[in-house]
Amino acid sequence: MMAGFFASGQVADLVLAVLAAEALLLFAWHRRTGRGLAPAALAGLVLPGVALVLALRAALVGAGWGLVAAALVAALAAHLFDLAVRLRR
């Protein structure tokens, strides 16, 4: 049962759903209270993880290496964006 859960990529779907819920809750909290992470900082926090999980999903379902590589490059780009935002402070 667990092997199928992983092989189908559903585990990655679950992680993406948790990441989306976390991002929405943090965004709503910031919007309501003015505290917490600003939207740019939140994007920098979440986007690299999303891209890495997409790479994982692609690898689990047997997608071509190009799709896995593209997702990893997207994770790097999102990480560098996050670093740039943080270093400007």
Side-chain angles (χ1 to χ4, degrees), residues 19-50:
L19 281 170
E22 176 187 18
L24 287 173
L25 288 171
L26 288 171
F27 178 76
W29 182 48
H30 176 73
R31 188 169 176 177
R32 179 173 294 203
T33 66
R35 298 173 57 206
L37 297 172
L42 181 58
L45 176 73
V46 173
L47 288 177
V50 167

Side-chain angles (χ1 to χ4, degrees), residues 2 4-17 53 56 60:
M2 289 302 288
F5 181 63
F6 278 80
S8 69
Q10 289 178 328
V11 66
D13 296 339
L14 177 62
V15 172
L16 286 170
V53 174
L56 171 67
L60 287 173

